[in-house]
Structures are given as C-alpha cells and as structure tokens.
Amino acid sequence: MGRKRNNFYMRSIFLLALCIFGLLQYHNFNYLDSRDTVLGDAVTNDSDDAILAMVPAPLHKYLTPHSRNHSGTATTGTLGVLGAPLLLNSSSSGAATATTISFDVYHPPNISEIKRQIVKYNDMQLVLNEDTFGPLQNDSVIIVVQVHTRITYLRHLIVSLAQAQDITKVLLVFSHDYYDEDINDLVQQIDFCKVLQIFYPYSIQTHPHEYPGVDPNDCQRNIKKDQAMISNCNNALYPDLYGHYREAKFTQTKHHWIWKANRVFNELEVTRYHTGLVLFLEEDHYVAEDFLYLLAMMQKRTKDLCPQCNVLSLGTYLKTFNYYTYHSKVEVMPWVSSKHNMGFAFNRTTWTNIRKCARHFCTYDDYNWDWSLQHVSQQCLQRKLHAMIVKGPRVFHIGECGVHHKNKNCESNQVISKVQHVLRIARTSHQLFPRSLTLTVPSLSKKTKLRKGNGGWGDLRDHELCLNMTLATR
C-alpha cells in the first residue's frame, strides 16, 4: 500500500509540474505575441514626420516629390514627404522667410511623344549604375516591379529596397504601363543597385481610343449579345462567360504581367544567360531588410526541404505577424493564386514550362493574371506549381487602393507605419536573418478545386494579343 501511495504522489507531482510548465510556456508565448501586437498598434504614429523619422536620412530623397507638375510661380522650395511645402530660407533672426521662384509652365508629353520615348527606352535597354556595381551575374537575383501610377507607394518600396542586405548585387527592373516623367525621375535617382526600365507598349495610355484601349465601336459591358449583334459593335460575338464585354482597364494588368515576364526572360540582352531567380513585386509592396538573405537560404534548402518546389514565396496577406514563432519557419504546398501571388520567385526553367502553356493562360476567361497562372498549373503543367512559403513574411502589401479596392484615403500612411513598426520590433528582437530554416507541416486544407474564371476575358483580340506577347523575339 505504501509503495502504491508513493507512486500516486510521484505521478501527481509530475503532472502538476507539467501543468505549471505548460502554463508558463503559454503565458510566455502570449506575452510575446501580445508584445508584437501591442507595440505594432500602440506605438504606431502614421504622421508624415513619424514615417520620415523611421527612414535613414540619406534615403529621404526618395520620399521628396519635386515640383514638375506645378506651374506659374511658387513661394516655397522642395516639397515634403507627401507634398507639404518646406520653406527655402530663414532670416538671421531665425524667422522663416519665403522665397518666390518663377519657372516655366510644365507641359507633359503628348501621346506621340510618349510612344517615341517608350520605343527609345525599350530599344536602348540601358542598365543604370552598371559602371558602379558591375555586370549582372548569371545567378544573381532579378527583381521585377510592376508599376502603374501610385508613386507614393513606389517611393516607400524603393526606400525599403535600399535598406536590404545584398541589394547591390541585384538587377532591379521597373516595368511600367504608364509613362510618367515624375516616376521616371524617381526611378533614375536610384543609386544603390543596377536599374533597368521597360515599358509595356500596348497600354491604355498610348491607345486611348483604339484597341487595346477603348475603341468607340466596342460593345458596352452590359449590352445583351443579341443587341450587340444588331449594333454590329466590334466584339459582339465574344462576351465573357457571364455575358459581359471587355473592359480595357481590367484587361491591361494581365497583358502587362505576361508581357513583362516574357520580356525579362526572353527578350532582354542583359538576361540572355541568366539562370537565377526572378522575384516579382508590385509598386505597393514593401520588403524587409533580410528578404534577399532569406530568399537565398530558401533556394539553397529547396533540395532537401522541398525537391518538388519550383516557386518561392516571401509575402502574405495576414493582418498580424508573429515573428517570434515564425521568423525562421517555412511551409510547402501547391501554389495558390490568392495566397502566394505576392513576392514570389521562380527561375527560367519554370518560366519555360509556363510559356509552353501560354494558350491556357491567354484563353482562360479570367482577367486576373494570378488566377490564370493557377489555371495553367492545374490544367497544363506536368510539374505543377509548388511553393515554399515563409511564414514570417518578408514582403508586405501597403496599398490601400488599386484595381479592386477604393478606400476614401488612397494615400493612407496607416499601413506603411504599421509595417515599419513591425519590422523595427523584429529587428530589435533579433528575429530577422535567421541562422537556419525549419519546415513546418501546413494545416490540412481542402484540395484546391478547379474554379470557374472571373470572366472579363472573352474577347478574341485579348487572346491573340496575349499569345503574341509570349513569343521569344531574341
């Protein structure tokens, strides 16, 4: 009886100790998680001054707009972060005095001039800063940024790229579907890596009254097919699967994506022998300072962690981030367009396989390039797209507005400020630059079903233009 009693006591003590240990661990994790959340929210100050204070002084030049688009006379000098005027001079007594400047009225280029400039840039293929950083190495990372018109977000992306480790080794390609001299000036200011600009030549800007822009004789979106046939509008025979006709502003993004990918892999001379990764970003993304370091580590570990992976993904759409738990963890799963389309990279081998499936991409009735790419993976590729995804994101989405979302304040500082503080916490608590990667098992999810497209892509002209842009011309 005494022995049984002793065993009972020992087991009770062991279980009690185990419970106490578990509670302590639970409290510790909750504390760290809440610290990330609380600091990320409570300390956040989204004023212009607060955001500027988080940026090293030498990089302030990328956040300072110039006065190109203002005309007449001005009583101030350079503009602040989001356009606030800064006085040029101050008196000896310390009181600020304004200086009046007169300058010529700025006239933006017309469509003919824009077309000439686009042809010139695309023919030149000029790599800026190559004399400083040397030629592109075959295994270096190429970063391709798709740019439209949101220059404020682009400024912050550039600032984040400038602070990244090993950024001097990359080729940074900006792919534009809108010609804007203020954006060009900003891009050509970059002095921390090699830079190349390419311009999508079939934009709505350069074809405002003809396909692929809006032809006056194009069918209206909601007109019925029988009415369209009677009116003999251009694309009457080809509504989408929902009975709607094309809208140029929505078709352009998919065209631009396939054009830029083909341009980088198959047309540029500087990439002729490139075998490394090409990382795809957009103008409203923001990167952590260790994103290239982590990308290289993921690429190195692919052979043993995920031999079937042909895509690496650095982004996430999560609203909160727990770097303490996930800063060095990755998971693997089939590539999903809605989850893994931000900050993802693949090499020439993967692109070649995608390009062979161009007909599936270009004829799928969905105006989204990412949904179309997933359709390619599911319906055409012998080796489907399989991704290694970092659980602690290194690419963030800071855009409040875009094709699908229109908020009241499309230049909000709130998300930018939040990302800055999340990364500052991760930096000060040594959660960036992990020494190793750990593979976690993703939670069981339903098998991705073949999905009906979102439409917007029934016009045969879009199919043909898209297919023509996947031809290798080099």
Side-chain angles (χ1 to χ4, degrees), residues 50-61:
I51 289 177
L52 197 62
M54 297 283 284
V55 176
L59 303 182
H60 286 187
K61 62 182 179 180

Side-chain angles (χ1 to χ4, degrees), residues 7-17:
N7 288 339
F8 174 78
Y9 289 150
M10 291 297 292
R11 283 198 299 269
S12 299
I13 292 171
F14 175 76
L15 289 172
L16 181 62

Side-chain angles (χ1 to χ4, degrees), residues 112-154:
S112 297
E113 178 59 25
I114 289 173
K115 286 182 176 179
R116 284 194 292 270
Q117 291 297 323
I118 286 175
V119 170
K120 182 187 77 171
Y121 274 109
N122 285 345
D123 285 347
M124 286 176 59
Q125 300 186 26
L126 177 64
V127 179
L128 303 175
N129 305 323
E130 191 174 36
D131 54 340
T132 301
F133 299 106
L136 177 71
Q137 301 301 306
N138 291 341
D139 59 349
S140 295
V141 174
I142 296 175
I143 301 173
V144 185
V145 183
Q146 186 157 325
V147 183
H148 185 49
T149 60
R150 294 177 294 172
I151 190 171
T152 297
Y153 293 128
L154 182 61

Side-chain angles (χ1 to χ4, degrees), residues 155-166:
R155 292 182 185 281
H156 288 280
L157 169 62
I158 290 171
V159 164
S160 70
L161 289 166
Q163 298 176 79
Q165 179 174 294
D166 294 329

Side-chain angles (χ1 to χ4, degrees), residues 348-368:
R348 185 183 298 277
T349 300
T350 300
W351 165 249
T352 300
N353 292 330
I354 292 172
R355 193 166 69 88
K356 290 177 181 177
C357 295
R359 185 159 295 277
H360 284 77
F361 182 93
C362 291
T363 61
Y364 181 55
D365 196 354
D366 194 305
Y367 66 95
N368 297 288

Side-chain angles (χ1 to χ4, degrees), residues 284-314:
D284 60 348
H285 290 171
Y286 194 100
V287 299
E289 63 195 69
D290 68 340
F291 83 104
L292 289 170
Y293 169 89
L294 200 70
L295 186 65
M297 184 178 289
M298 292 168 70
Q299 183 182 26
K300 186 177 180 180
R301 295 296 310 275
T302 299
K303 291 182 180 179
D304 58 301
L305 291 182
C306 181
Q308 75 274 29
C309 286
N310 48 16
V311 177
L312 304 177
S313 181
L314 296 173

Side-chain angles (χ1 to χ4, degrees), residues 15 44 54 95 102 127 147 154 182 199 229 251 273 328 402 438 441:
L15 289 172
T44 296
M54 297 283 284
S102 296
V127 179
V147 183
L154 182 61
D182 288 335
F199 290 84
M229 297 289 289
T251 59
Y273 304 107
S328 63
T438 304
V441 179

Side-chain angles (χ1 to χ4, degrees), residues 3 63 75 82 88 125 130 143 164 277-278 283 285 307 325 407 419 438:
R3 181 178 297 175
L63 297 176
T75 56
L82 298 180
L88 285 176
Q125 300 186 26
E130 191 174 36
I143 301 173
L277 290 173
V278 174
E283 64 186 9
H285 290 171
T325 305
N407 290 350
V419 170
T438 304

